[in-house]
Amino acid sequence: NHATTGFSQSHHYAPHAQPPSQQPWQPWESFHGHAYQPPPLGMQRADPNEVFPRTAMFSVPASGRKKALLIGINYRGTQAELRGCVNDAQNMKDLLMQQGFCNDPTSMVMLIDEGHDQSNYPTRKNILKGMQWLVQGACPGDILFLHFSGHGAQEPDKSGLEADGYNETILPVDYKTAGQISDDEIWGSVVWPLPSGVRLTALMDCCHSGTGLDLPFEFDLHRSQWVEDVNPAHSKGDVIQFSGCEDDQTSADAGGGGLFSQYQAGGAMTQSFIKAFKENPHATYPQFMAAVHRNLRKRGFSQRPVLTASQSFDFNSRVFSFTEGIESNHNHEIGRIKRKHIKKNKWGSGGGMSANVQAVQALLYEGMGTYAAAGGGKVGAMAVGKLGKKFLKNFK
């Protein structure tokens, strides 16, 4: 059900097509979002001027413009409360500023559930608005960054597109009343609109985040090759996602006491990611991913970060950078391909979800009177056994 993808080892660099005139970016306070409109289903031919062969690596000169959306949600005062997600957003902000990102309303927005500024509260409406703000005016050479630290979940996929039968989701602070944000919505908001030559790096530090942006290529570290999704969603931009764990795993919210008291409260993935970059700011992707995995293992975490991408680039030679190394578009056709209809899984039907994950899902939805993220049954009264409600405090 998966297709492996090879790539040329050529290191010839050629100039990218001349970019159009830059569109000015709007500051957050004057930006007006709009209701989410899903992209059209099916495939369409990409503009030939935005397609470049895989037989050579085409470099896109950076424009110097950098923009970031950082989201950290602790869900204070709820049974879903976490401890370190706002810290994660702040720490990522500090790192990005060290890499030349500007801390102004045109270049950086941080949505956190602290303070009294409702315009920067991480509600579903504000998060979707933030995603639209992030890609507004994006032109070839622009560098974008998206970071989410908070709860992730799953919900049944009714379209039959998802290989595991679920849509991966993130939970805004008002998820109980406004609902979750699915990977379909994230892909349609920040991936699909990007032109060729725009780089978006995403760090998703939450449970079930493996394919949280619905990117079509996942790198298999064991086989050292890209694997294409069964029903891939192709686009033109250069989008790379680092996820905190695989789709069927939980991500840890650690530190601030207990076993890892020497660490500030925060997401294990975000902390490991930042540490790996600081240890070697010029690492290749194999070196960088190995360092992230190593940092997690040293602290006793079993979660396995995943790398997915919109373009199947040369993993072994490409250097990870926040601000350089933009890959041109190789996809001649863009949109969603439905090669196989996937039957949706049912709660407890062997879909690969562990008892721990089910317990987390149950606690997230306790008392909501709604369908569980992981199946179809109500979970408000689901017994979680010995794990208890304290279990949730350590997982996203």
Side-chain angles (χ1 to χ4, degrees):
N1 294 333
H2 290 78
T4 58
T5 305
F7 42 76
S8 169
Q9 295 296 321
S10 171
H11 293 273
H12 170 71
Y13 285 80
H16 191 271
Q18 187 67 29
S21 299
Q22 287 185 348
Q23 300 180 40
W25 288 349
Q26 295 180 26
W28 174 248
E29 60 266 21
S30 63
F31 179 78
H32 298 288
H34 54 79
Y36 172 72
Q37 296 293 329
L41 294 175
M43 301 297 292
Q44 63 188 61
R45 298 289 294 181
D47 184 336
N49 293 320
E50 292 189 289
V51 181
F52 299 85
R54 296 182 186 276
T55 54
M57 291 166 56
F58 285 77
S59 64
V60 182
S63 67
R65 301 200 305 176
K66 297 177 280 288
K67 186 191 284 191
L69 173 64
L70 311 174
I71 306 164
I73 314 177
N74 282 335
Y75 311 90
R76 289 192 171 184
T78 72
Q79 290 183 314
E81 185 169 352
L82 297 170
R83 296 168 293 180
C85 298
V86 172
N87 290 339
D88 288 342
Q90 183 61 57
N91 291 335
M92 187 55 61
K93 174 183 176 180
D94 294 342
L95 181 62
L96 292 178
M97 290 176 65
Q98 293 169 12
Q99 299 304 307
F101 283 71
C102 295
N103 181 23
D104 63 65
T106 302
S107 305
M108 187 177 294
V109 166
M110 188 161 69
L111 304 179
I112 58 175
D113 55 344
E114 283 189 353
H116 303 288
D117 185 358
Q118 292 300 307
S119 66
N120 288 79
Y121 217 62
T123 61
R124 174 183 164 85
K125 180 179 179 180
N126 280 345
I127 291 174
L128 290 174
K129 175 186 172 184
M131 292 179 178
Q132 295 167 9
W133 168 87
L134 183 64
V135 302
Q136 178 269 322
C139 295
D142 290 348
I143 300 288
L144 313 178
F145 192 89
L146 170 64
H147 177 234
F148 176 82
S149 181
H151 278 303
Q154 292 179 308
E155 61 185 6
D157 169 42
K158 299 177 182 179
S159 69
L161 289 168
E162 296 285 350
D164 60 357
Y166 301 121
N167 279 317
E168 282 62 54
T169 66
I170 60 174
L171 273 61
V173 71
D174 58 348
Y175 70 93
K176 285 189 177 182
T177 55
Q180 307 170 63
I181 299 175
S182 72
D183 51 5
D184 291 346
E185 292 174 291
I186 299 174
W187 183 84
S189 296
V190 297
V191 180
W192 172 253
L194 296 179
S196 176
V198 174
R199 166 75 175 277
L200 168 63
T201 304
L203 173 58
M204 305 297 285
D205 193 353
C206 53
C207 294
H208 315 295
S209 54
T211 60
L213 262 65
D214 255 2
L215 301 179
F217 298 106
E218 179 178 332
F219 197 81
D220 186 325
L221 292 170
H222 298 291
R223 291 188 287 170
S224 191
Q225 61 187 11
W226 291 102
V227 179
E228 188 179 34
D229 193 14
V230 175
N231 297 315
H234 288 297
S235 55
K236 296 180 292 186
D238 178 19
V239 185
I240 298 166
Q241 179 198 347
F242 296 90
S243 67
C245 62
E246 296 178 350
D247 280 346
D248 61 352
Q249 288 187 311
T250 55
S251 283
D253 181 53
L259 182 60
F260 303 107
S261 58
Q262 68 269 37
Y263 294 94
Q264 178 194 47
M269 176 60 182
T270 298
Q271 292 179 347
S272 298
F273 181 94
I274 292 173
K275 186 175 188 293
F277 183 79
K278 289 184 174 181
E279 288 172 344
N280 185 359
H282 307 290
T284 61
Y285 273 82
Q287 292 169 336
F288 185 71
M289 289 296 291
V292 173
H293 280 261
R294 184 169 60 250
N295 291 336
L296 286 167
R297 287 196 304 271
K298 283 182 177 178
R299 296 177 63 187
F301 297 113
S302 62
Q303 64 193 71
R304 296 181 295 276
V306 176
L307 178 72
T308 55
S310 60
Q311 312 288 337
S312 54
F313 60 86
D314 187 340
F315 176 82
N316 291 316
S317 66
R318 188 176 182 181
V319 173
F320 172 69
S321 170
F322 285 101
T323 58
E324 300 288 343
I326 305 172
E327 188 89 358
S328 297
N329 174 44
H330 307 311
N331 301 317
H332 291 268
E333 290 191 328
I334 55 175
R336 289 185 179 272
I337 309 171
K338 188 169 186 179
R339 296 170 176 158
K340 179 181 179 181
H341 185 83
I342 310 295
K343 294 181 180 180
K344 71 176 182 179
N345 290 315
K346 296 184 182 296
W347 183 276
S349 64
M353 189 164 291
S354 69
N356 284 2
V357 174
Q358 290 188 23
V360 172
Q361 301 282 22
L363 290 169
L364 284 173
Y365 284 81
E366 185 170 349
M368 289 179 63
T370 188
Y371 283 93
K378 292 185 179 180
V379 296
M382 177 181 174
V384 296
K386 295 180 181 179
L387 293 172
K389 295 183 179 179
K390 290 183 179 179
F391 178 84
L392 181 62
K393 293 183 180 294
N394 297 317
F395 291 93
K396 295 178 172 182

